[in-house]
């Protein structure tokens, strides 16, 4: 999980007035959480809250992640549609009639 996602979760919890603990941050993050990345950020926040709260999200990294996710989704959709077209073509293509032997 990217470090920025953890920072964003901490920032959103702070805005809501909730305490910053390992459990609250993990609950805010969907999916698996890398504790090796999570624990130092929580510790850093507790030592110096402003050090994390003033960080701006890296717009370039976010745009790149969004673009690659979109590309994966589109690639999957194209593959799905190609499979459907192939199935439809098989259904619409008449099978060649079996030829009867000639005398």
């Amino acid at each position: 999980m990217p470090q920025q996602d953890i920072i964003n979760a901490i920032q959103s919890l702070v805005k809501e007035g909730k305490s910053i603990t390992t459990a609250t941050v993990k609950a805010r993050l969907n999916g698996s959480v890398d504790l090796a990345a999570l624990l130092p950020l929580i510790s850093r926040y507790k030592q110096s809250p402003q050090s994390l709260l003033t960080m701006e999200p890296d717009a370039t990294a976010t745009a790149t992640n969004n673009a690659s996710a979109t590309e994966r989704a589109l690639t999957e959709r194209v593959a799905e549609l190609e499979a459907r077209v192939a199935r439809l073509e098989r259904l619409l293509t008449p099978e060649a009639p079996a030829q009867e032997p000639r005398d």
Side-chain angles (χ1 to χ4, degrees):
M1 171 165 295
Q3 186 177 16
Q4 190 60 49
D5 290 346
I6 297 169
I7 293 169
N8 292 343
I10 292 171
Q11 289 174 339
S12 70
L13 288 166
V14 169
K15 287 178 186 174
E16 294 173 14
K18 297 185 178 178
S19 63
I20 307 303
T21 65
T22 304
T24 58
V25 176
K26 280 178 67 174
R28 180 59 51 107
L29 298 166
N30 295 329
S32 63
V33 179
D34 180 17
L35 289 178
L38 177 64
L39 295 175
L41 288 172
I42 291 174
S43 176
R44 183 171 149 195
Y45 169 78
K46 288 185 176 188
Q47 290 174 1
S48 176
Q50 293 304 340
S51 69
L52 286 183
L53 297 180
T54 57
M55 292 182 70
E56 291 297 321
D58 183 3
T60 304
T62 302
T64 301
N65 289 340
N66 289 343
S68 62
T70 301
E71 185 177 342
R72 280 192 304 274
L74 290 173
T75 301
E76 290 174 11
R77 182 70 175 145
V78 167
E80 177 187 314
L81 291 172
E82 286 176 341
R84 289 180 70 188
V85 167
R87 272 195 310 271
L88 289 171
E89 286 176 337
R90 282 193 301 274
L91 290 172
L92 293 173
T93 304
E95 293 183 27
Q99 292 187 0
E100 296 183 24
R102 293 185 182 181
D103 294 311

